[in-house]
């Protein structure tokens, strides 16, 4: 290799190494949210149908499409992990109706006072709604829904990495609330179809 090309090769190799480190950095990874450890809810139905009715807008003020774990994926995973068909007829429909997160800009101080303070600059509001039905053919035998809402604010000097951690925590905590709502709703509204 000529002496003229050597510096460019070193820079290229170093750039590739740094890019690989960024991809492999475990701090950039977020674990999937799973719910199988909470135990299955056995239903006297022949099939559990999980449907995704929510379509992400993919533009402001919605930001859920930027989340490391998207709320609609977490809500779908709950049903996959927890609902078990253990009968020979009927259908249990689990529909993710909404799984949105919106961003709202907050007022911040300007001027000298603004330089001396760190204000909360954005608020994120999460809302997950799930509809459920027991079907006998096309006839609805029972219906119920569950909903969870959470919000959180972030400071104006937050980094992208910190913001993603906040988003992940928001999804996780909203899903904890939804899990509580779903458990109570399924066990009460669909009690005749629960296998104990």
């Amino acid at each position: 290799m000529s002496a003229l090309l050597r510096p460019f090769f070193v820079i290229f190799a170093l750039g590739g190494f740094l890019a690989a480190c960024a991809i492999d950095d475990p701090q950039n990874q977020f674990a999937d949210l799973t719910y199988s450890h909470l135990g299955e809810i056995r239903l006297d139905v022949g099939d559990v149908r999980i449907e995704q009715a929510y379509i992400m807008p993919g533009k402001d003020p919605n930001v859920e499409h930027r989340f490391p774990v998207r709320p609609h994926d977490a809500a779908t995973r709950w049903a996959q992990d927890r609902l078990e068909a253990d009968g020979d007829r009927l259908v249990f429909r689990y529909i993710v109706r909404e799984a949105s997160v919106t961003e709202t800009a907050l007022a911040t101080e300007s001027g000298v006072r603004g330089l001396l303070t760190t204000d909360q600059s954005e608020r994120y509001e999460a809302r997950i709604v799930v509809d459920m039905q027991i079907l006998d053919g096309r006839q609805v035998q029972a219906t119920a829904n569950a909903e969870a809402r959470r919000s959180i604010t972030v400071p104006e000097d937050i980094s992208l990495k910190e913001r993603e951690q906040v988003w992940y925590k928001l999804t996780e905590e909203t899903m904890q609330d939804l899990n509580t709502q779903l458990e109570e709703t399924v066990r009460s509204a669909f009690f005749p179809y629960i296998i104990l």
Side-chain angles (χ1 to χ4, degrees), residues 11 16 30 84 104 128 154-155 160 174:
I11 290 170
F30 291 86
E84 178 70 22
T104 303
I128 306 176
V154 296
L160 175 58
T174 307

Side-chain angles (χ1 to χ4, degrees), residues 116-134:
L116 301 175
T117 59
T118 302
D119 294 322
Q120 298 294 297
S121 57
E122 288 93 23
R123 180 174 64 250
Y124 296 101
E125 296 180 77
R127 180 173 184 248
I128 306 176
V129 179
V130 172
D131 293 338
M132 294 166 284
Q133 299 174 335
I134 295 281

Side-chain angles (χ1 to χ4, degrees), residues 15-58:
F17 173 75
L18 292 174
C21 288
I23 293 170
D24 296 334
D25 182 357
Q27 294 181 340
N28 287 340
Q29 305 299 316
F30 291 86
D32 287 337
L33 297 175
T34 61
Y35 307 95
S36 56
H37 64 283
L38 299 174
E40 291 179 343
I41 300 172
R42 294 169 60 219
L43 299 164
D44 188 15
V45 298
D47 189 24
V48 173
R49 292 184 190 161
I50 303 168
E51 301 176 23
Q52 184 57 253
Y54 180 67
I55 299 172
M56 293 184 292

Side-chain angles (χ1 to χ4, degrees), residues 70-165:
R70 294 171 179 172
H72 76 272
D73 290 333
T76 299
R77 183 63 180 264
W78 187 94
Q80 293 169 340
D81 286 354
R82 302 221 53 200
L83 300 178
E84 178 70 22
D86 200 9
D88 56 7
R89 55 185 292 275
L90 303 179
V91 171
F92 187 93
R93 286 181 75 200
Y94 175 98
I95 308 159
V96 180
R97 188 66 61 195
E98 182 169 348
S100 63
V101 183
T102 55
E103 179 184 77
T104 303
L106 302 175
T108 57
E109 288 284 350
S110 58
V112 175
R113 186 168 179 171
L115 294 174
L116 301 175
T117 59
T118 302
D119 294 322
Q120 298 294 297
S121 57
E122 288 93 23
R123 180 174 64 250
Y124 296 101
E125 296 180 77
R127 180 173 184 248
I128 306 176
V129 179
V130 172
D131 293 338
M132 294 166 284
Q133 299 174 335
I134 295 281
L135 299 175
D136 186 355
R138 293 185 179 180
Q139 187 174 1
V140 177
Q141 299 290 317
T143 183
N145 61 48
E147 178 178 343
R149 293 173 180 255
R150 282 245 180 182
S151 66
I152 194 169
T153 61
V154 296
E156 57 189 333
D157 60 352
I158 192 171
S159 69
L160 175 58
K161 180 177 174 181
E162 290 168 334
R163 193 181 299 267
E164 287 181 337
Q165 290 169 344

